[in-house]
Amino acid sequence: MSKNQKLYIKKYFIFLIKTLTFFLFVYFFFNFINQKYLLSSLTKFTFEGIFIIYLLFLILPILLTLRWFIVVKNFSKMKFIELLKNIISGLSFSLIFSTALATDATKFIKLKKEIGYQKSLILVSIDKFSALFLKIFFVYILIIFYLYFYTQVSFYYILFLVFIYIFLLLVFSKIDQIIIFLYKKYLIKKKKLDIESILKKTKKDIIKLIVVNLLIQLLNICIYFLIFFFLQNNLTFFKLSVFVPMVELLAQFSFLVFGVREISTVYLLGFFSIEKELALASALIYLFINYLVIITFYASLKINRINFFKKKNIE
């Protein structure tokens, strides 16, 4: 079987999975969701609420760009505004194709033109895996706190989870060595690339990456908190601190399944006794405002380009 045939089968398989999950989502919507209650929940949301969350949401692409800027600043000459345009393009493709990988692919394609295939792949991997690992740690520690304060779980079980958390931290401290091993064994074969020097440079900024990732998580929690506040639900900030990172973590696997964020929102909020209709309403509002933010950035960046060319023509 040729490479083109394998690629075609892979694309067809992903398309088939997405199509099936889309119809499952539609089936779920019409058979398990009370449309009238969903509509009444959405109508509770005021223009004031949308505007406040929209303003807060505008910070999210900037923080995502800042994280990417920290990773690539020692290897690329691209300015922050160029990286922001690239991130916005990637986020727009992610929304259109319902896949988290679109943003990573957009970053890789842009960076590859400047520093080459292998370095770009390593830097995109560092950005992706650092964000993924930190999400896991964030979720894990909050689950431990939630189980301790809100459930009757045995203290020894909590202690066992703490030991696992410490083990994961030790693994994370050696993540650079794990990446080096994987790249040397499976990816870097033909050309020699000093991956150690790349990781050494990026490791200097690990504290900055942790802080920015933490800010991204807190911002997402605040966005959901305001959504539920304007939906007139008393879901606490602490419970959302457990729920939101889990949704963000599951959303990373949306390259196969349609509507992962929406489905996971409905499912996970069920543990906090939140009605399916209210949970779906929050996910749809998040998606709607996400579209508004991306359109705003995309339009503003296009306007800036038009103005630039106009000035150039006048001169």
Side-chain angles (χ1 to χ4, degrees):
M1 188 180 291
S2 65
K3 288 184 178 180
N4 289 334
Q5 287 176 324
K6 287 181 180 179
L7 186 63
Y8 175 78
I9 292 170
K10 187 178 178 181
K11 286 181 178 179
Y12 180 78
F13 176 73
I14 292 172
F15 174 76
L16 182 64
I17 295 295
K18 280 184 173 288
T19 305
L20 287 172
T21 52
F22 171 75
F23 283 111
L24 283 172
F25 184 81
V26 172
Y27 175 80
F28 169 80
F29 178 78
F30 284 105
N31 288 276
F32 298 98
I33 297 293
N34 186 327
Q35 285 87 28
K36 288 183 179 179
Y37 183 38
L38 174 65
L39 188 62
S40 67
S41 298
L42 290 170
T43 52
K44 288 178 184 177
F45 219 83
T46 61
F47 176 78
E48 179 189 11
I50 291 174
F51 184 68
I52 292 171
I53 296 167
Y54 166 79
L55 291 177
L56 194 62
F57 217 125
L58 287 170
I59 305 170
L60 190 57
I62 296 171
L63 286 177
L64 292 171
T65 306
L66 179 60
R67 187 179 70 194
W68 182 227
F69 177 77
I70 291 169
V71 173
V72 303
K73 64 183 177 67
N74 293 317
F75 308 94
S76 172
K77 294 179 181 178
M78 279 191 283
K79 296 179 180 178
F80 187 87
I81 189 67
E82 291 180 79
L83 295 174
L84 177 60
K85 291 176 183 178
N86 185 233
I87 291 290
I88 295 300
S89 298
L91 291 173
S92 63
F93 283 120
S94 292
L95 288 173
I96 293 167
F97 296 107
S98 185
T99 171
L101 294 178
T103 307
D104 300 314
T106 307
K107 291 188 289 189
F108 171 74
I109 291 167
K110 178 77 173 177
L111 193 62
K112 184 180 71 170
K113 296 176 182 177
E114 184 185 358
I115 65 172
Y117 173 86
Q118 291 184 346
K119 280 187 179 180
S120 301
L121 184 61
I122 292 168
L123 292 174
V124 171
S125 300
I126 290 170
D127 181 58
K128 185 73 174 179
F129 284 116
S130 65
L132 192 63
F133 271 103
L134 290 168
K135 278 187 178 76
I136 292 170
F137 292 139
F138 197 70
V139 168
Y140 199 91
I141 192 67
L142 287 169
I143 287 174
I144 291 172
F145 278 109
Y146 179 77
L147 291 172
Y148 182 76
F149 289 107
Y150 287 88
T151 66
Q152 301 297 321
V153 175
S154 168
F155 174 76
Y156 294 104
Y157 181 71
I158 300 292
L159 193 62
F160 173 71
L161 292 176
V162 170
F163 280 125
I164 294 176
Y165 186 75
I166 294 169
F167 172 75
L168 289 173
L169 285 175
L170 291 172
V171 172
F172 182 72
S173 67
K174 302 293 183 182
I175 191 64
D176 55 333
Q177 295 178 24
I178 296 170
I179 292 172
I180 290 168
F181 171 77
L182 292 173
Y183 268 85
K184 284 188 173 181
K185 189 170 181 64
Y186 298 107
L187 294 174
I188 301 173
K189 295 178 180 178
K190 294 181 180 179
K191 296 181 180 179
K192 290 185 178 180
L193 184 65
D194 192 3
I195 187 172
E196 288 92 345
S197 65
I198 295 173
L199 289 169
K200 190 176 180 180
K201 287 180 181 179
T202 53
K203 202 172 181 180
K204 291 177 181 178
D205 297 312
I206 189 66
I207 302 299
K208 293 178 184 177
L209 285 173
I210 291 171
V211 171
V212 173
N213 275 292
L214 182 62
L215 289 173
I216 290 169
Q217 292 301 319
L218 289 174
L219 183 61
N220 267 312
I221 293 166
C222 289
I223 288 168
Y224 270 100
F225 179 78
L226 287 173
I227 288 173
F228 280 101
F229 175 79
F230 287 108
L231 283 172
Q232 299 173 16
N233 184 275
N234 59 349
L235 196 59
T236 64
F237 190 87
F238 183 77
K239 287 182 178 180
L240 282 170
S241 298
V242 177
F243 153 75
V244 174
M246 291 180 72
V247 172
E248 292 298 313
L249 188 61
L250 290 171
Q252 300 301 310
F253 303 98
S254 60
F255 59 94
L256 278 178
V257 181
F258 174 85
V260 168
R261 182 184 291 276
E262 291 74 23
I263 294 167
S264 57
T265 299
V266 173
Y267 177 74
L268 291 171
L269 282 177
F271 289 101
F272 300 130
S273 302
I274 301 296
E275 298 92 339
K276 296 187 294 292
E277 294 77 12
L278 197 64
L280 184 58
S282 69
L284 292 174
I285 290 166
Y286 185 96
L287 182 65
F288 171 70
I289 299 176
N290 198 0
Y291 270 106
L292 284 180
V293 167
I294 297 303
I295 290 167
T296 301
F297 271 104
Y298 193 81
S300 64
L301 292 173
K302 291 282 284 185
I303 290 167
N304 289 338
R305 287 176 189 171
I306 292 168
N307 290 340
F308 172 78
F309 285 119
K310 282 182 179 178
K311 287 178 183 179
K312 197 170 183 180
N313 290 334
I314 291 168
E315 289 173 1

